[in-house]
Amino acid sequence: MDIATFFGVVSGFSLVLLAIKMGGGLLWFWNAPSAMIVMGGTIAVTLINYPISDVLSVVKVLKNAFLYQVPQPTAIVPEIVELSKIARREGILALEKQAKKMKEAYLNKGVELAVDGMEPDAIRGILENELIFTEDRHKKGAEIFTIMGTYAPAMGMIGTLIGLVQMLMVMDDPKNIGPAMAVALITTFYGSLLANLLFLPIAGKLKVRRDDETKYKELIIEGIAAIQLGDNPRVVEQKLHTYLSPSERALIPKKQTEQ
Amino acid sequence: MDIATFFGVVSGFSLVLLAIKMGGGLLWFWNAPSAMIVMGGTIAVTLINYPISDVLSVVKVLKNAFLYQVPQPTAIVPEIVELSKIARREGILALEKQAKKMKEAYLNKGVELAVDGMEPDAIRGILENELIFTEDRHKKGAEIFTIMGTYAPAMGMIGTLIGLVQMLMVMDDPKNIGPAMAVALITTFYGSLLANLLFLPIAGKLKVRRDDETKYKELIIEGIAAIQLGDNPRVVEQKLHTYLSPSERALIPKKQTEQ
Amino acid sequence: MDIATFFGVVSGFSLVLLAIKMGGGLLWFWNAPSAMIVMGGTIAVTLINYPISDVLSVVKVLKNAFLYQVPQPTAIVPEIVELSKIARREGILALEKQAKKMKEAYLNKGVELAVDGMEPDAIRGILENELIFTEDRHKKGAEIFTIMGTYAPAMGMIGTLIGLVQMLMVMDDPKNIGPAMAVALITTFYGSLLANLLFLPIAGKLKVRRDDETKYKELIIEGIAAIQLGDNPRVVEQKLHTYLSPSERALIPKKQTEQ
Amino acid sequence: MDIATFFGVVSGFSLVLLAIKMGGGLLWFWNAPSAMIVMGGTIAVTLINYPISDVLSVVKVLKNAFLYQVPQPTAIVPEIVELSKIARREGILALEKQAKKMKEAYLNKGVELAVDGMEPDAIRGILENELIFTEDRHKKGAEIFTIMGTYAPAMGMIGTLIGLVQMLMVMDDPKNIGPAMAVALITTFYGSLLANLLFLPIAGKLKVRRDDETKYKELIIEGIAAIQLGDNPRVVEQKLHTYLSPSERALIPKKQTEQ
Amino acid sequence: MDIATFFGVVSGFSLVLLAIKMGGGLLWFWNAPSAMIVMGGTIAVTLINYPISDVLSVVKVLKNAFLYQVPQPTAIVPEIVELSKIARREGILALEKQAKKMKEAYLNKGVELAVDGMEPDAIRGILENELIFTEDRHKKGAEIFTIMGTYAPAMGMIGTLIGLVQMLMVMDDPKNIGPAMAVALITTFYGSLLANLLFLPIAGKLKVRRDDETKYKELIIEGIAAIQLGDNPRVVEQKLHTYLSPSERALIPKKQTEQ
């Protein structure tokens, strides 16, 4: 997933640079006050809009968007079905040994609570609450980028208005109007570029990832509930398969027969 | 349904080409850097916004929008009523034989679960969960086209800003301003055309299809629940008819008497 | 209600024509390619966005918006109160005779189901389901007009862009720029006019009508439930009056004393 | 509250007139066809969008926005607490005498239903239903002004397009372009002024009033439920205080000790 | 948190002033009628849109946005866990002594109601209702700033339209057009600046703070419910930890061992 993000950003900016290069010099599109207003202004406004701790967490969020991969639900379904077989054969306490081997922390937590003998409803409550607050934290990351994608073009427009007023105030020779207006437009260009090629699509990606992770964790909650109910492993499998697309389901049976 | 989509796309673009032809040459409206920024940029941004697997699935989604037809609820109602008659007469196990003849996979799955003796609530849970996740996958197709329809005009505007800055930087003779500005506007034209004549209406069609399919599957869920309840076939029919429009209902009785 | 719709459309377009007349000739505002792009393009895009059966149903919807009148809840309340009196006095089966005399099909259906001895919850389920799907069908009518009201200005803008590019490509004499630009603007004018004076307000009216009809049918559902519960007619009246505005309530007592 | 509405409208328009006066003559900003299109067009479109009875009710709604004052919850809390004391001491029937003295019709209705011996759930049902439909009627008032605030600028733009086309059609001398374009812009100015200085903020005020009234009535529903439950007056007070802001709560104790 | 708000506002406006300074004189950007229309008009419209008491409360809200700090949930979790230990060891009445020492008024209220022997559901009802109405009051603060951020650019546009009309009416010499148009644009600049650098981000901050406070109070409600249920302190801790982010959780254990 990180490759798509990375490739998209690089190719998007390359296309813009190429188009600039084809029609004239790159330097025409560099203007320090414009960059200052759009980037500085967007950061300033984000600091008014969000607590500083939230803004700093953006760096971590950004790293996540490039590096971290949401685990595939296809990997966890056979593991849960296997747990349900053990629980049915040897009782739920037998899962204690399994819990230590698990890589997925969320599944591990749920299984440990079940082994501890907590009621199914209480476990579901704790796991869902954790899911909701994890979602909330991820949502804030997407929100901050959306806000930056909203303010960047606004800052661009403010910068262009400043440039236009300055140009019009000293307008005497129509010949000079061209370059001055070009400079004024560059601020709008910066704001539009940052918003549409960076902030908004990254906010979109963070939202998609959050949805994928939520679906993944809901599958685990459902699986633990089914194990506690003592469901037949075949029923467990059928319940969990509803969380998968037909193509994902096609991937699983092979693995299952290997076990 | 595919004919309407196909006819709409062809006639929409033909109208635009005709209007261009009536006012001058077609070549005036071809500009390689503009096409590069709008199409390349939209694809790049979509790759930032969505995992690569989702973007690739767009091709399949697009094929669906042109070819696949959502089945008519009028065809499935008499089939379910017939099943309810058999279930009432010979017991629910008698449906096993029927299940093998069914063309509709979703109905088949529900009937098989009922024959297996699963509880009505559990069956409804599994079928509804499957429906929700199928909806989610279809929703993503519509979302990707909506996102493309949002970014295409933004890319168009970025391209036009680049063209305007380049034009203004070298503006010396007002006579030359015309063609240069025309070229700058073409990028906005491309973005607007792609968004309004292709991406957004296709997203709309995918959404309409999803709603139709959801309604169709909810009808099946309701029907299976009624069969399990052992409802009188007349009551089953009355329940399912609420999912149909008056004109759809008018189509059914004839078929029923034929059976 | 149809008079308001009709009067609004006629007076709106008359005002625009008058304003055009006051400032010059009507013919200045006629341009065939513009009309072709805006009207043809909007129809083409609507065909991409909706199945052909939905688009054709627009004609019926449009006729409804002009001709059909949502029945007044003030007329149905005394009828339901009267039914509750009969049901309390002579039993619910006594309503069978009344059912035949009813003009309101929806009330008739509910009463017949009650006479058939169906459970209150089942009747409410059937009637509410029918209400939901009726709403869905009406909502689609409003949606199609909203979509047309969204695409018409977009088509207008596309047409104007075409006109501007054609004008700028051959711009040599600033004197000729006026009429060419006027023609380009006419496409935007058409799109804006159709959207704001026709498509969007008709979508609004369809939505208002749907809300009125929903409220009317919810009143009937409530009334049938109260009759089945064997509520005191005074309580039935009090329950139904909550659906009426004070001014509507003021209209009823007179009628009641007449009966 | 009416003073704020009145003062806001007067001072807003005064500021605009003052700014016009400072830069030239008032008459520059009067244009009959512009006023005709914006005002006439907005009314025509509102008539297409809403049934004539709803549009006429706007006058009443407007009078309300200026004159009627939503009652303060601080006044009703001690009254309900007092009722709960009487009901606990002398039984709920003792409230019959109190009911006659009440100024608040909604509280009166609830108390009378309670004295009549209706079940708490049924009373809550009737009161909440009445609240919902009162809200619906008020919401429609706010909606009509919002719609007018949406169409007024659209009509302004249509008028400006007409003016621009007429100006461009006869453009021969650049010197004449100024005043003609000024006149064209006046229509946009009218639409923007009406929407932002009148229609939209009045819609906002109607919405705020509706929310205040809803909160006030929910407090009464809660209070009557608590009285019927036979709650300790101290508990009743505590329940109702949750509906008040800290500053509103600070106003009550004094009154209470006076009683 | 207040430092981020303060720093953001100061640095945002400094950047804008710097950019103005770099391109000419500061005085070019001062225009009294523009300031009058944007600021006066926004205040006038806000007075139409909101009751005067709500508008006055904005000052208090603004002070809050700069000064008040939402308490950290990490501080309250160990306190609630400690209370649950005492309640389990010595009974819930033993919390009366603790209640007096509490700094957090909301927790104090809940504990006192529990000590009074009120039912868990009733306490949750009172606390949640108080939470809802506190949220409502805070939401209004954010709404007023959002409304101001919506009307300020609209007022800016109205002012610019006035300036343009006045300029066009007397346009004779193209040389004079520059400064007049610059002055007209300044009103748009003011409106955009106030909205994007002040009103909208402050509305955003108020919304973020409200969410943080809601989460904090929901944690307290959950904690009091767990204490009343007589939950094992370890379970209480586990329940409350779901409200914290992993990094917040990492901060707590150390404190706990100190106790």
Side-chain angles (χ1 to χ4, degrees), chain C residues 20 197 201 205 242-243 245, chain D residues 47-48 129 133 137 151 166:
Chain C
I20 288 176
L197 225 61
K205 176 79 110 218
T242 57
Y243 287 82
S245 67
Chain D
L47 282 171
I48 308 178
N129 220 8
F133 286 100
R137 284 191 297 273
Y151 284 123
Q166 289 171 339

Side-chain angles (χ1 to χ4, degrees), chain C residues 149-196:
Chain C
T150 314
Y151 284 123
M155 291 302 139
M157 204 193 100
I158 287 173
T160 296
L161 283 169
I162 293 174
L164 285 178
V165 169
Q166 289 171 339
M167 175 193 88
L168 291 164
M169 279 296 184
V170 296
M171 192 177 92
D172 45 1
D173 186 358
K175 284 240 170 97
N176 299 336
I177 210 175
M181 196 158 176
V183 169
L185 280 182
I186 283 172
T187 330
T188 290
F189 171 69
Y190 284 177
S192 193
L193 204 65
L194 281 180
N196 289 297

Side-chain angles (χ1 to χ4, degrees), chain A residues 33 36-37 40-41 44-45 47-51 126 129 133 137 140 151 154-155 158 161-162 166 168-172, chain E residues 4 8-9 11 15 19-20 22-23 28-29 177-179 189 192 196-197 200-201 204-205 208 215 242-246:
Chain A
M36 192 180 79
I37 281 196
V45 166
L47 282 171
I48 308 179
N49 201 117
Y50 285 99
I126 285 180
N129 220 8
F133 286 100
R137 285 191 296 273
K140 196 168 271 178
Y151 284 123
M155 291 302 140
I158 287 173
L161 282 169
I162 293 176
Q166 289 170 340
L168 290 163
M169 280 295 186
V170 296
M171 190 176 92
D172 44 2
Chain E
V9 171
S11 62
L15 278 167
I20 288 176
M22 283 166 82
W28 284 355
F29 286 82
I177 211 178
F189 172 69
S192 193
N196 289 298
L197 226 60
L200 295 178
K205 176 81 107 210
V208 170
K215 186 180 133 188
T242 58
Y243 287 81
L244 306 178
S245 67

Side-chain angles (χ1 to χ4, degrees), chain B residues 158-174:
Chain B
I158 287 173
T160 295
L161 282 169
I162 293 175
L164 285 178
V165 169
Q166 289 170 339
M167 175 192 88
L168 290 164
M169 280 295 186
V170 296
M171 191 177 92
D172 45 2
D173 186 359

Side-chain angles (χ1 to χ4, degrees), chain C residues 8-9 11 15 19-20 22-23 28 175 177-179 189 192 196-197 200-201 204-205 208 215 242-246, chain D residues 33 36-37 40-41 44-45 47-51 126 129 133 137 140 151 154-155 158 161-162 166 168-172:
Chain C
V9 171
S11 62
L15 278 167
I20 288 176
M22 283 165 82
W28 285 356
K175 284 240 170 97
I177 210 175
F189 171 69
S192 193
N196 289 297
L197 225 61
L200 295 177
K205 176 79 110 218
V208 169
K215 186 180 134 188
T242 57
Y243 287 82
L244 307 177
S245 67
Chain D
M36 193 180 76
I37 281 196
V45 166
L47 282 171
I48 308 178
N49 202 118
Y50 285 100
I126 286 180
N129 220 8
F133 286 100
R137 284 191 297 273
K140 196 168 270 178
Y151 284 123
M155 292 302 139
I158 286 173
L161 283 168
I162 293 175
Q166 289 171 339
L168 291 164
M169 280 293 185
V170 295
M171 192 176 93
D172 45 0

Side-chain angles (χ1 to χ4, degrees), chain E residues 60-81:
Chain E
K60 212 165 70 184
V61 161
L62 202 59
K63 213 179 63 187
N64 263 0
F66 280 90
L67 298 180
Y68 170 75
Q69 205 127 357
V70 175
Q72 290 299 311
T74 44
I76 205 85
V77 168
E79 187 172 351
I80 295 174
V81 172

Side-chain angles (χ1 to χ4, degrees), chain A residues 3 8 36 50-51 70 81 91-92 98 109 111 113 118 147 178 196 200 209 221 229-230 246:
Chain A
I3 295 172
M36 192 180 79
Y50 285 99
V70 176
V81 171
I92 210 153
Q98 305 292 324
K109 181 168 196 173
V111 169
L113 290 172
M118 195 178 265
I147 281 289
N196 289 298
L200 294 178
R209 295 169 70 89
I221 292 176
L229 275 174

